[in-house]
PDB file of all heavy atoms in Angstrom:
ATOM      1  N   VAL A   1      29.844  68.582 -29.963  1.00 98.00           N
ATOM      2  CA  VAL A   1      29.956  68.799 -31.430  1.00 98.00           C
ATOM      3  C   VAL A   1      28.830  68.083 -32.173  1.00 98.00           C
ATOM      4  O   VAL A   1      28.243  68.674 -33.063  1.00 98.00           O
ATOM      5  CB  VAL A   1      31.328  68.248 -31.890  1.00 98.00           C
ATOM      6  CG1 VAL A   1      31.376  68.255 -33.424  1.00 98.00           C
ATOM      7  CG2 VAL A   1      32.492  69.103 -31.357  1.00 98.00           C
ATOM      8  N   GLN A   2      28.461  66.909 -31.717  1.00 98.00           N
ATOM      9  CA  GLN A   2      27.345  66.185 -32.401  1.00 98.00           C
ATOM     10  C   GLN A   2      26.036  66.933 -32.167  1.00 98.00           C
ATOM     11  O   GLN A   2      25.210  67.028 -33.079  1.00 98.00           O
ATOM     12  CB  GLN A   2      27.256  64.738 -31.834  1.00 98.00           C
ATOM     13  CG  GLN A   2      26.157  63.919 -32.519  1.00 98.00           C
ATOM     14  CD  GLN A   2      26.300  63.793 -34.017  1.00 98.00           C
ATOM     15  OE1 GLN A   2      27.397  63.426 -34.463  1.00 98.00           O
ATOM     16  NE2 GLN A   2      25.257  64.127 -34.758  1.00 98.00           N
ATOM     17  N   ARG A   3      25.828  67.456 -30.985  1.00 98.00           N
ATOM     18  CA  ARG A   3      24.615  68.220 -30.721  1.00 98.00           C
ATOM     19  C   ARG A   3      24.542  69.441 -31.618  1.00 98.00           C
ATOM     20  O   ARG A   3      23.459  69.778 -32.102  1.00 98.00           O
ATOM     21  CB  ARG A   3      24.536  68.607 -29.252  1.00 98.00           C
ATOM     22  CG  ARG A   3      23.249  69.354 -28.856  1.00 98.00           C
ATOM     23  CD  ARG A   3      22.031  68.583 -29.179  1.00 98.00           C
ATOM     24  NE  ARG A   3      20.836  69.304 -28.731  1.00 98.00           N
ATOM     25  CZ  ARG A   3      19.608  69.045 -29.217  1.00 98.00           C
ATOM     26  NH1 ARG A   3      19.446  68.138 -30.153  1.00 98.00           N
ATOM     27  NH2 ARG A   3      18.570  69.684 -28.733  1.00 98.00           N
ATOM     28  N   LEU A   4      25.664  70.152 -31.777  1.00 98.00           N
ATOM     29  CA  LEU A   4      25.683  71.316 -32.622  1.00 98.00           C
ATOM     30  C   LEU A   4      25.380  70.923 -34.091  1.00 98.00           C
ATOM     31  O   LEU A   4      24.643  71.674 -34.813  1.00 98.00           O
ATOM     32  CB  LEU A   4      27.038  72.014 -32.533  1.00 98.00           C
ATOM     33  CG  LEU A   4      27.370  72.620 -31.232  1.00 98.00           C
ATOM     34  CD1 LEU A   4      28.831  73.124 -31.219  1.00 98.00           C
ATOM     35  CD2 LEU A   4      26.443  73.817 -30.898  1.00 98.00           C
ATOM     36  N   LEU A   5      25.843  69.788 -34.503  1.00 98.00           N
ATOM     37  CA  LEU A   5      25.552  69.259 -35.864  1.00 98.00           C
ATOM     38  C   LEU A   5      24.071  69.026 -36.030  1.00 98.00           C
ATOM     39  O   LEU A   5      23.461  69.322 -37.050  1.00 98.00           O
ATOM     40  CB  LEU A   5      26.424  68.056 -36.153  1.00 98.00           C
ATOM     41  CG  LEU A   5      26.175  67.415 -37.529  1.00 98.00           C
ATOM     42  CD1 LEU A   5      26.523  68.431 -38.621  1.00 98.00           C
ATOM     43  CD2 LEU A   5      27.093  66.150 -37.695  1.00 98.00           C
ATOM     44  N   ASP A   6      23.490  68.361 -34.955  1.00 97.00           N
ATOM     45  CA  ASP A   6      22.042  68.065 -35.042  1.00 97.00           C
ATOM     46  C   ASP A   6      21.269  69.408 -35.142  1.00 97.00           C
ATOM     47  O   ASP A   6      20.284  69.486 -35.907  1.00 97.00           O
ATOM     48  CB  ASP A   6      21.640  67.271 -33.794  1.00 97.00           C
ATOM     49  CG  ASP A   6      22.260  65.898 -33.772  1.00 97.00           C
ATOM     50  OD1 ASP A   6      22.683  65.390 -34.852  1.00 97.00           O
ATOM     51  OD2 ASP A   6      22.279  65.267 -32.681  1.00 97.00           O
ATOM     52  N   LEU A   7      21.630  70.353 -34.308  1.00 97.00           N
ATOM     53  CA  LEU A   7      20.871  71.629 -34.294  1.00 97.00           C
ATOM     54  C   LEU A   7      21.094  72.424 -35.614  1.00 97.00           C
ATOM     55  O   LEU A   7      20.228  73.208 -36.032  1.00 97.00           O
ATOM     56  CB  LEU A   7      21.315  72.491 -33.126  1.00 97.00           C
ATOM     57  CG  LEU A   7      20.819  71.937 -31.755  1.00 97.00           C
ATOM     58  CD1 LEU A   7      21.397  72.794 -30.608  1.00 97.00           C
ATOM     59  CD2 LEU A   7      19.325  71.909 -31.684  1.00 97.00           C
ATOM     60  N   LYS A   8      22.270  72.256 -36.204  1.00 97.00           N
ATOM     61  CA  LYS A   8      22.513  72.908 -37.486  1.00 97.00           C
ATOM     62  C   LYS A   8      21.476  72.485 -38.501  1.00 97.00           C
ATOM     63  O   LYS A   8      20.958  73.374 -39.208  1.00 97.00           O
ATOM     64  CB  LYS A   8      23.944  72.531 -37.960  1.00 97.00           C
ATOM     65  CG  LYS A   8      24.194  72.980 -39.428  1.00 97.00           C
ATOM     66  CD  LYS A   8      25.559  72.501 -39.908  1.00 97.00           C
ATOM     67  CE  LYS A   8      25.763  72.865 -41.361  1.00 97.00           C
ATOM     68  NZ  LYS A   8      27.075  72.478 -41.884  1.00 97.00           N
ATOM     69  N   SER A   9      21.174  71.216 -38.601  1.00 94.00           N
ATOM     70  CA  SER A   9      20.210  70.749 -39.574  1.00 94.00           C
ATOM     71  C   SER A   9      18.787  71.284 -39.297  1.00 94.00           C
ATOM     72  O   SER A   9      18.036  71.547 -40.202  1.00 94.00           O
ATOM     73  CB  SER A   9      20.171  69.192 -39.549  1.00 94.00           C
ATOM     74  OG  SER A   9      21.379  68.673 -39.896  1.00 94.00           O
ATOM     75  N   GLU A  10      18.509  71.523 -38.014  1.00 95.00           N
ATOM     76  CA  GLU A  10      17.189  72.083 -37.662  1.00 95.00           C
ATOM     77  C   GLU A  10      17.086  73.594 -37.854  1.00 95.00           C
ATOM     78  O   GLU A  10      16.082  74.083 -38.386  1.00 95.00           O
ATOM     79  CB  GLU A  10      16.893  71.744 -36.185  1.00 95.00           C
ATOM     80  CG  GLU A  10      15.533  72.247 -35.719  1.00 95.00           C
ATOM     81  CD  GLU A  10      15.231  71.842 -34.290  1.00 95.00           C
ATOM     82  OE1 GLU A  10      15.937  70.959 -33.751  1.00 95.00           O
ATOM     83  OE2 GLU A  10      14.280  72.405 -33.710  1.00 95.00           O
ATOM     84  N   TRP A  11      18.146  74.317 -37.454  1.00 96.00           N
ATOM     85  CA  TRP A  11      18.048  75.764 -37.494  1.00 96.00           C
ATOM     86  C   TRP A  11      18.647  76.409 -38.722  1.00 96.00           C
ATOM     87  O   TRP A  11      18.476  77.610 -38.950  1.00 96.00           O
ATOM     88  CB  TRP A  11      18.765  76.336 -36.252  1.00 96.00           C
ATOM     89  CG  TRP A  11      17.928  76.189 -35.003  1.00 96.00           C
ATOM     90  CD1 TRP A  11      17.959  75.120 -34.106  1.00 96.00           C
ATOM     91  CD2 TRP A  11      16.888  77.086 -34.527  1.00 96.00           C
ATOM     92  NE1 TRP A  11      16.989  75.329 -33.133  1.00 96.00           N
ATOM     93  CE2 TRP A  11      16.348  76.459 -33.372  1.00 96.00           C
ATOM     94  CE3 TRP A  11      16.426  78.261 -35.014  1.00 96.00           C
ATOM     95  CZ2 TRP A  11      15.284  77.103 -32.665  1.00 96.00           C
ATOM     96  CZ3 TRP A  11      15.434  78.902 -34.270  1.00 96.00           C
ATOM     97  CH2 TRP A  11      14.889  78.328 -33.126  1.00 96.00           C
ATOM     98  N   LYS A  12      19.338  75.624 -39.558  1.00 94.00           N
ATOM     99  CA  LYS A  12      19.883  76.116 -40.803  1.00 94.00           C
ATOM    100  C   LYS A  12      20.859  77.249 -40.613  1.00 94.00           C
ATOM    101  O   LYS A  12      20.856  78.259 -41.325  1.00 94.00           O
ATOM    102  CB  LYS A  12      18.742  76.544 -41.741  1.00 94.00           C
ATOM    103  CG  LYS A  12      17.696  75.512 -41.967  1.00 94.00           C
ATOM    104  CD  LYS A  12      18.226  74.192 -42.559  1.00 94.00           C
ATOM    105  CE  LYS A  12      17.136  73.172 -42.771  1.00 94.00           C
ATOM    106  NZ  LYS A  12      17.675  71.866 -43.232  1.00 94.00           N
ATOM    107  N   VAL A  13      21.710  77.129 -39.577  1.00 95.00           N
ATOM    108  CA  VAL A  13      22.794  78.047 -39.383  1.00 95.00           C
ATOM    109  C   VAL A  13      24.040  77.232 -39.095  1.00 95.00           C
ATOM    110  O   VAL A  13      23.981  76.007 -38.848  1.00 95.00           O
ATOM    111  CB  VAL A  13      22.547  79.001 -38.170  1.00 95.00           C
ATOM    112  CG1 VAL A  13      21.361  79.915 -38.445  1.00 95.00           C
ATOM    113  CG2 VAL A  13      22.275  78.241 -36.903  1.00 95.00           C
ATOM    114  N   SER A  14      25.210  77.849 -39.119  1.00 94.00           N
ATOM    115  CA  SER A  14      26.451  77.110 -38.927  1.00 94.00           C
ATOM    116  C   SER A  14      26.567  76.630 -37.468  1.00 94.00           C
ATOM    117  O   SER A  14      25.973  77.146 -36.544  1.00 94.00           O
ATOM    118  CB  SER A  14      27.628  78.021 -39.273  1.00 94.00           C
ATOM    119  OG  SER A  14      27.862  78.984 -38.287  1.00 94.00           O
ATOM    120  N   MET A  15      27.385  75.595 -37.335  1.00 96.00           N
ATOM    121  CA  MET A  15      27.701  75.067 -36.010  1.00 96.00           C
ATOM    122  C   MET A  15      28.412  76.132 -35.165  1.00 96.00           C
ATOM    123  O   MET A  15      28.201  76.248 -33.988  1.00 96.00           O
ATOM    124  CB  MET A  15      28.547  73.825 -36.155  1.00 96.00           C
ATOM    125  CG  MET A  15      27.897  72.657 -36.822  1.00 96.00           C
ATOM    126  SD  MET A  15      29.004  71.314 -37.201  1.00 96.00           S
ATOM    127  CE  MET A  15      29.457  70.723 -35.597  1.00 96.00           C
ATOM    128  N   TRP A  16      29.206  76.992 -35.844  1.00 95.00           N
ATOM    129  CA  TRP A  16      29.917  78.042 -35.158  1.00 95.00           C
ATOM    130  C   TRP A  16      28.949  79.091 -34.626  1.00 95.00           C
ATOM    131  O   TRP A  16      29.106  79.570 -33.520  1.00 95.00           O
ATOM    132  CB  TRP A  16      30.932  78.685 -36.068  1.00 95.00           C
ATOM    133  CG  TRP A  16      32.126  77.823 -36.397  1.00 95.00           C
ATOM    134  CD1 TRP A  16      32.294  77.089 -37.514  1.00 95.00           C
ATOM    135  CD2 TRP A  16      33.214  77.520 -35.555  1.00 95.00           C
ATOM    136  NE1 TRP A  16      33.461  76.363 -37.454  1.00 95.00           N
ATOM    137  CE2 TRP A  16      34.021  76.607 -36.251  1.00 95.00           C
ATOM    138  CE3 TRP A  16      33.564  77.937 -34.269  1.00 95.00           C
ATOM    139  CZ2 TRP A  16      35.248  76.118 -35.710  1.00 95.00           C
ATOM    140  CZ3 TRP A  16      34.788  77.453 -33.728  1.00 95.00           C
ATOM    141  CH2 TRP A  16      35.608  76.545 -34.440  1.00 95.00           C
ATOM    142  N   ALA A  17      27.947  79.421 -35.391  1.00 95.00           N
ATOM    143  CA  ALA A  17      26.922  80.388 -34.914  1.00 95.00           C
ATOM    144  C   ALA A  17      26.176  79.823 -33.726  1.00 95.00           C
ATOM    145  O   ALA A  17      25.898  80.548 -32.742  1.00 95.00           O
ATOM    146  CB  ALA A  17      25.957  80.683 -36.047  1.00 95.00           C
ATOM    147  N   LEU A  18      25.877  78.587 -33.730  1.00 97.00           N
ATOM    148  CA  LEU A  18      25.180  77.916 -32.634  1.00 97.00           C
ATOM    149  C   LEU A  18      26.078  77.871 -31.395  1.00 97.00           C
ATOM    150  O   LEU A  18      25.609  78.097 -30.273  1.00 97.00           O
ATOM    151  CB  LEU A  18      24.767  76.509 -33.007  1.00 97.00           C
ATOM    152  CG  LEU A  18      23.575  76.427 -33.979  1.00 97.00           C
ATOM    153  CD1 LEU A  18      23.554  75.026 -34.652  1.00 97.00           C
ATOM    154  CD2 LEU A  18      22.249  76.672 -33.234  1.00 97.00           C
ATOM    155  N   LEU A  19      27.376  77.630 -31.617  1.00 97.00           N
ATOM    156  CA  LEU A  19      28.304  77.568 -30.471  1.00 97.00           C
ATOM    157  C   LEU A  19      28.385  78.979 -29.815  1.00 97.00           C
ATOM    158  O   LEU A  19      28.334  79.060 -28.602  1.00 97.00           O
ATOM    159  CB  LEU A  19      29.704  77.151 -30.959  1.00 97.00           C
ATOM    160  CG  LEU A  19      30.804  77.064 -29.917  1.00 97.00           C
ATOM    161  CD1 LEU A  19      30.457  76.053 -28.852  1.00 97.00           C
ATOM    162  CD2 LEU A  19      32.145  76.738 -30.609  1.00 97.00           C
ATOM    163  N   ARG A  20      28.484  80.008 -30.620  1.00 96.00           N
ATOM    164  CA  ARG A  20      28.560  81.344 -30.076  1.00 96.00           C
ATOM    165  C   ARG A  20      27.253  81.772 -29.365  1.00 96.00           C
ATOM    166  O   ARG A  20      27.261  82.483 -28.376  1.00 96.00           O
ATOM    167  CB  ARG A  20      28.951  82.353 -31.142  1.00 96.00           C
ATOM    168  CG  ARG A  20      30.295  82.151 -31.713  1.00 96.00           C
ATOM    169  CD  ARG A  20      30.757  83.269 -32.601  1.00 96.00           C
ATOM    170  NE  ARG A  20      32.031  82.898 -33.242  1.00 96.00           N
ATOM    171  CZ  ARG A  20      32.205  82.278 -34.421  1.00 96.00           C
ATOM    172  NH1 ARG A  20      31.088  82.009 -35.108  1.00 96.00           N
ATOM    173  NH2 ARG A  20      33.363  81.923 -34.860  1.00 96.00           N
ATOM    174  N   ARG A  21      26.141  81.326 -29.956  1.00 97.00           N
ATOM    175  CA  ARG A  21      24.846  81.601 -29.324  1.00 97.00           C
ATOM    176  C   ARG A  21      24.763  80.983 -27.971  1.00 97.00           C
ATOM    177  O   ARG A  21      24.257  81.556 -27.017  1.00 97.00           O
ATOM    178  CB  ARG A  21      23.747  81.149 -30.259  1.00 97.00           C
ATOM    179  CG  ARG A  21      22.342  81.633 -29.875  1.00 97.00           C
ATOM    180  CD  ARG A  21      22.177  83.099 -30.057  1.00 97.00           C
ATOM    181  NE  ARG A  21      20.790  83.555 -30.025  1.00 97.00           N
ATOM    182  CZ  ARG A  21      20.389  84.702 -29.598  1.00 97.00           C
ATOM    183  NH1 ARG A  21      21.225  85.610 -29.110  1.00 97.00           N
ATOM    184  NH2 ARG A  21      19.121  85.095 -29.654  1.00 97.00           N
ATOM    185  N   ALA A  22      25.209  79.732 -27.860  1.00 98.00           N
ATOM    186  CA  ALA A  22      25.199  79.021 -26.619  1.00 98.00           C
ATOM    187  C   ALA A  22      26.024  79.752 -25.507  1.00 98.00           C
ATOM    188  O   ALA A  22      25.597  79.853 -24.376  1.00 98.00           O
ATOM    189  CB  ALA A  22      25.743  77.592 -26.762  1.00 98.00           C
ATOM    190  N   ARG A  23      27.176  80.298 -25.959  1.00 97.00           N
ATOM    191  CA  ARG A  23      28.007  81.056 -25.006  1.00 97.00           C
ATOM    192  C   ARG A  23      27.300  82.399 -24.621  1.00 97.00           C
ATOM    193  O   ARG A  23      27.267  82.741 -23.484  1.00 97.00           O
ATOM    194  CB  ARG A  23      29.376  81.356 -25.587  1.00 97.00           C
ATOM    195  CG  ARG A  23      30.295  82.122 -24.624  1.00 97.00           C
ATOM    196  CD  ARG A  23      31.646  82.413 -25.195  1.00 97.00           C
ATOM    197  NE  ARG A  23      31.606  83.204 -26.373  1.00 97.00           N
ATOM    198  CZ  ARG A  23      32.664  83.688 -27.023  1.00 97.00           C
ATOM    199  NH1 ARG A  23      33.858  83.428 -26.559  1.00 97.00           N
ATOM    200  NH2 ARG A  23      32.560  84.416 -28.088  1.00 97.00           N
ATOM    201  N   THR A  24      26.809  83.123 -25.606  1.00 96.00           N
ATOM    202  CA  THR A  24      26.155  84.402 -25.351  1.00 96.00           C
ATOM    203  C   THR A  24      24.984  84.247 -24.401  1.00 96.00           C
ATOM    204  O   THR A  24      24.778  85.105 -23.537  1.00 96.00           O
ATOM    205  CB  THR A  24      25.691  85.019 -26.705  1.00 96.00           C
ATOM    206  OG1 THR A  24      26.807  85.199 -27.544  1.00 96.00           O
ATOM    207  CG2 THR A  24      25.005  86.363 -26.447  1.00 96.00           C
ATOM    208  N   LEU A  25      24.201  83.174 -24.542  1.00 97.00           N
ATOM    209  CA  LEU A  25      23.034  82.990 -23.706  1.00 97.00           C
ATOM    210  C   LEU A  25      23.392  82.352 -22.360  1.00 97.00           C
ATOM    211  O   LEU A  25      22.507  82.082 -21.539  1.00 97.00           O
ATOM    212  CB  LEU A  25      22.012  82.093 -24.433  1.00 97.00           C
ATOM    213  CG  LEU A  25      21.431  82.701 -25.763  1.00 97.00           C
ATOM    214  CD1 LEU A  25      20.494  81.753 -26.380  1.00 97.00           C
ATOM    215  CD2 LEU A  25      20.751  84.045 -25.443  1.00 97.00           C
ATOM    216  N   GLY A  26      24.680  82.059 -22.108  1.00 97.00           N
ATOM    217  CA  GLY A  26      25.083  81.524 -20.846  1.00 97.00           C
ATOM    218  C   GLY A  26      24.819  80.006 -20.672  1.00 97.00           C
ATOM    219  O   GLY A  26      24.863  79.485 -19.567  1.00 97.00           O
ATOM    220  N   VAL A  27      24.495  79.317 -21.791  1.00 98.00           N
ATOM    221  CA  VAL A  27      24.256  77.933 -21.753  1.00 98.00           C
ATOM    222  C   VAL A  27      25.550  77.144 -21.523  1.00 98.00           C
ATOM    223  O   VAL A  27      25.564  76.083 -20.848  1.00 98.00           O
ATOM    224  CB  VAL A  27      23.551  77.401 -23.024  1.00 98.00           C
ATOM    225  CG1 VAL A  27      23.360  75.891 -23.025  1.00 98.00           C
ATOM    226  CG2 VAL A  27      22.183  78.120 -23.185  1.00 98.00           C
ATOM    227  N   ILE A  28      26.619  77.663 -22.030  1.00 98.00           N
ATOM    228  CA  ILE A  28      27.944  77.014 -21.812  1.00 98.00           C
ATOM    229  C   ILE A  28      28.900  78.143 -21.293  1.00 98.00           C
ATOM    230  O   ILE A  28      28.708  79.314 -21.526  1.00 98.00           O
ATOM    231  CB  ILE A  28      28.547  76.395 -23.085  1.00 98.00           C
ATOM    232  CG1 ILE A  28      28.722  77.466 -24.202  1.00 98.00           C
ATOM    233  CG2 ILE A  28      27.666  75.243 -23.603  1.00 98.00           C
ATOM    234  CD1 ILE A  28      29.414  76.926 -25.458  1.00 98.00           C
ATOM    235  N   SER A  29      29.941  77.724 -20.591  1.00 98.00           N
ATOM    236  CA  SER A  29      30.929  78.624 -20.040  1.00 98.00           C
ATOM    237  C   SER A  29      31.937  78.968 -21.125  1.00 98.00           C
ATOM    238  O   SER A  29      32.014  78.377 -22.200  1.00 98.00           O
ATOM    239  CB  SER A  29      31.633  77.970 -18.873  1.00 98.00           C
ATOM    240  OG  SER A  29      32.397  76.885 -19.295  1.00 98.00           O
ATOM    241  N   ASP A  30      32.796  80.002 -20.829  1.00 97.00           N
ATOM    242  CA  ASP A  30      33.881  80.306 -21.760  1.00 97.00           C
ATOM    243  C   ASP A  30      34.790  79.159 -21.943  1.00 97.00           C
ATOM    244  O   ASP A  30      35.342  78.933 -23.071  1.00 97.00           O
ATOM    245  CB  ASP A  30      34.617  81.548 -21.235  1.00 97.00           C
ATOM    246  CG  ASP A  30      33.828  82.794 -21.341  1.00 97.00           C
ATOM    247  OD1 ASP A  30      32.839  82.888 -22.046  1.00 97.00           O
ATOM    248  OD2 ASP A  30      34.242  83.814 -20.663  1.00 97.00           O
ATOM    249  N   TRP A  31      35.057  78.454 -20.840  1.00 98.00           N
ATOM    250  CA  TRP A  31      35.950  77.256 -20.962  1.00 98.00           C
ATOM    251  C   TRP A  31      35.369  76.220 -21.877  1.00 98.00           C
ATOM    252  O   TRP A  31      36.035  75.598 -22.705  1.00 98.00           O
ATOM    253  CB  TRP A  31      36.149  76.676 -19.591  1.00 98.00           C
ATOM    254  CG  TRP A  31      37.083  75.447 -19.616  1.00 98.00           C
ATOM    255  CD1 TRP A  31      38.435  75.407 -19.567  1.00 98.00           C
ATOM    256  CD2 TRP A  31      36.620  74.077 -19.690  1.00 98.00           C
ATOM    257  NE1 TRP A  31      38.905  74.107 -19.675  1.00 98.00           N
ATOM    258  CE2 TRP A  31      37.821  73.261 -19.681  1.00 98.00           C
ATOM    259  CE3 TRP A  31      35.415  73.462 -19.728  1.00 98.00           C
ATOM    260  CZ2 TRP A  31      37.784  71.891 -19.803  1.00 98.00           C
ATOM    261  CZ3 TRP A  31      35.357  72.068 -19.798  1.00 98.00           C
ATOM    262  CH2 TRP A  31      36.574  71.268 -19.834  1.00 98.00           C
ATOM    263  N   GLN A  32      34.023  75.894 -21.766  1.00 98.00           N
ATOM    264  CA  GLN A  32      33.404  74.983 -22.657  1.00 98.00           C
ATOM    265  C   GLN A  32      33.414  75.451 -24.086  1.00 98.00           C
ATOM    266  O   GLN A  32      33.627  74.653 -25.012  1.00 98.00           O
ATOM    267  CB  GLN A  32      31.938  74.719 -22.205  1.00 98.00           C
ATOM    268  CG  GLN A  32      31.803  73.982 -20.892  1.00 98.00           C
ATOM    269  CD  GLN A  32      30.354  73.987 -20.397  1.00 98.00           C
ATOM    270  OE1 GLN A  32      29.721  74.998 -20.201  1.00 98.00           O
ATOM    271  NE2 GLN A  32      29.807  72.763 -20.216  1.00 98.00           N
ATOM    272  N   TYR A  33      33.235  76.718 -24.251  1.00 98.00           N
ATOM    273  CA  TYR A  33      33.247  77.282 -25.595  1.00 98.00           C
ATOM    274  C   TYR A  33      34.640  77.053 -26.259  1.00 98.00           C
ATOM    275  O   TYR A  33      34.726  76.578 -27.390  1.00 98.00           O
ATOM    276  CB  TYR A  33      32.948  78.762 -25.563  1.00 98.00           C
ATOM    277  CG  TYR A  33      33.180  79.444 -26.883  1.00 98.00           C
ATOM    278  CD1 TYR A  33      32.192  79.529 -27.841  1.00 98.00           C
ATOM    279  CD2 TYR A  33      34.415  80.127 -27.132  1.00 98.00           C
ATOM    280  CE1 TYR A  33      32.418  80.175 -29.061  1.00 98.00           C
ATOM    281  CE2 TYR A  33      34.617  80.770 -28.346  1.00 98.00           C
ATOM    282  CZ  TYR A  33      33.619  80.768 -29.317  1.00 98.00           C
ATOM    283  OH  TYR A  33      33.836  81.386 -30.509  1.00 98.00           O
ATOM    284  N   ARG A  34      35.688  77.368 -25.509  1.00 97.00           N
ATOM    285  CA  ARG A  34      37.035  77.198 -26.028  1.00 97.00           C
ATOM    286  C   ARG A  34      37.359  75.735 -26.342  1.00 97.00           C
ATOM    287  O   ARG A  34      37.966  75.435 -27.381  1.00 97.00           O
ATOM    288  CB  ARG A  34      38.073  77.777 -25.071  1.00 97.00           C
ATOM    289  CG  ARG A  34      38.081  79.346 -24.985  1.00 97.00           C
ATOM    290  CD  ARG A  34      39.260  79.846 -24.230  1.00 97.00           C
ATOM    291  NE  ARG A  34      39.274  79.422 -22.852  1.00 97.00           N
ATOM    292  CZ  ARG A  34      38.740  80.077 -21.830  1.00 97.00           C
ATOM    293  NH1 ARG A  34      38.107  81.237 -22.104  1.00 97.00           N
ATOM    294  NH2 ARG A  34      38.783  79.658 -20.606  1.00 97.00           N
ATOM    295  N   THR A  35      36.904  74.858 -25.441  1.00 98.00           N
ATOM    296  CA  THR A  35      37.133  73.425 -25.650  1.00 98.00           C
ATOM    297  C   THR A  35      36.452  72.900 -26.917  1.00 98.00           C
ATOM    298  O   THR A  35      37.061  72.170 -27.729  1.00 98.00           O
ATOM    299  CB  THR A  35      36.663  72.636 -24.426  1.00 98.00           C
ATOM    300  OG1 THR A  35      37.333  73.052 -23.242  1.00 98.00           O
ATOM    301  CG2 THR A  35      36.876  71.133 -24.628  1.00 98.00           C
ATOM    302  N   LEU A  36      35.219  73.324 -27.121  1.00 98.00           N
ATOM    303  CA  LEU A  36      34.479  72.885 -28.289  1.00 98.00           C
ATOM    304  C   LEU A  36      35.049  73.520 -29.542  1.00 98.00           C
ATOM    305  O   LEU A  36      35.137  72.875 -30.601  1.00 98.00           O
ATOM    306  CB  LEU A  36      33.015  73.231 -28.169  1.00 98.00           C
ATOM    307  CG  LEU A  36      32.224  72.392 -27.174  1.00 98.00           C
ATOM    308  CD1 LEU A  36      30.853  73.009 -26.843  1.00 98.00           C
ATOM    309  CD2 LEU A  36      32.005  70.967 -27.768  1.00 98.00           C
ATOM    310  N   ALA A  37      35.523  74.764 -29.452  1.00 97.00           N
ATOM    311  CA  ALA A  37      36.110  75.450 -30.590  1.00 97.00           C
ATOM    312  C   ALA A  37      37.396  74.754 -31.035  1.00 97.00           C
ATOM    313  O   ALA A  37      37.646  74.538 -32.209  1.00 97.00           O
ATOM    314  CB  ALA A  37      36.381  76.920 -30.284  1.00 97.00           C
ATOM    315  N   VAL A  38      38.209  74.305 -30.039  1.00 97.00           N
ATOM    316  CA  VAL A  38      39.411  73.547 -30.390  1.00 97.00           C
ATOM    317  C   VAL A  38      39.090  72.241 -31.066  1.00 97.00           C
ATOM    318  O   VAL A  38      39.691  71.832 -32.060  1.00 97.00           O
ATOM    319  CB  VAL A  38      40.254  73.343 -29.137  1.00 97.00           C
ATOM    320  CG1 VAL A  38      41.399  72.358 -29.368  1.00 97.00           C
ATOM    321  CG2 VAL A  38      40.840  74.638 -28.615  1.00 97.00           C
ATOM    322  N   GLU A  39      38.081  71.550 -30.516  1.00 98.00           N
ATOM    323  CA  GLU A  39      37.700  70.288 -31.086  1.00 98.00           C
ATOM    324  C   GLU A  39      37.153  70.435 -32.534  1.00 98.00           C
ATOM    325  O   GLU A  39      37.555  69.657 -33.404  1.00 98.00           O
ATOM    326  CB  GLU A  39      36.636  69.610 -30.241  1.00 98.00           C
ATOM    327  CG  GLU A  39      36.210  68.234 -30.750  1.00 98.00           C
ATOM    328  CD  GLU A  39      35.121  67.570 -29.823  1.00 98.00           C
ATOM    329  OE1 GLU A  39      34.797  68.145 -28.796  1.00 98.00           O
ATOM    330  OE2 GLU A  39      34.671  66.479 -30.202  1.00 98.00           O
ATOM    331  N   MET A  40      36.346  71.441 -32.756  1.00 97.00           N
ATOM    332  CA  MET A  40      35.828  71.647 -34.064  1.00 97.00           C
ATOM    333  C   MET A  40      36.914  72.102 -35.034  1.00 97.00           C
ATOM    334  O   MET A  40      36.947  71.661 -36.219  1.00 97.00           O
ATOM    335  CB  MET A  40      34.700  72.720 -34.036  1.00 97.00           C
ATOM    336  CG  MET A  40      33.425  72.217 -33.357  1.00 97.00           C
ATOM    337  SD  MET A  40      32.247  73.526 -32.978  1.00 97.00           S
ATOM    338  CE  MET A  40      31.895  74.220 -34.567  1.00 97.00           C
ATOM    339  N   SER A  41      37.862  72.862 -34.572  1.00 95.00           N
ATOM    340  CA  SER A  41      38.995  73.248 -35.442  1.00 95.00           C
ATOM    341  C   SER A  41      39.806  72.048 -35.822  1.00 95.00           C
ATOM    342  O   SER A  41      40.249  71.915 -37.001  1.00 95.00           O
ATOM    343  CB  SER A  41      39.855  74.267 -34.715  1.00 95.00           C
ATOM    344  OG  SER A  41      39.125  75.483 -34.431  1.00 95.00           O
TER     345      SER A  41
END
């Protein structure tokens, strides 16, 4: 979550958009995506 926040300031997009991009590009697994989504929620 902190890394997404850091990247948000750099890329000027939402943390949610960055999280989905990470999943789409295969940087994180579906399980990691769901875990981070629950934490952010």
Side-chain angles (χ1 to χ4, degrees):
V1 171
Q2 182 59 52
R3 181 57 176 159
L4 293 172
L5 179 59
D6 293 341
L7 290 175
K8 170 185 176 176
S9 298
E10 179 178 348
W11 284 92
K12 307 302 180 185
V13 295
S14 73
M15 296 169 68
W16 291 100
L18 287 161
L19 178 62
R20 294 188 188 94
R21 192 65 165 150
R23 181 181 62 173
T24 300
L25 297 178
V27 176
I28 61 174
S29 66
D30 288 343
W31 179 85
Q32 290 172 303
Y33 171 85
R34 290 192 295 270
T35 300
L36 287 166
V38 169
E39 182 178 356
M40 289 168 61
S41 297

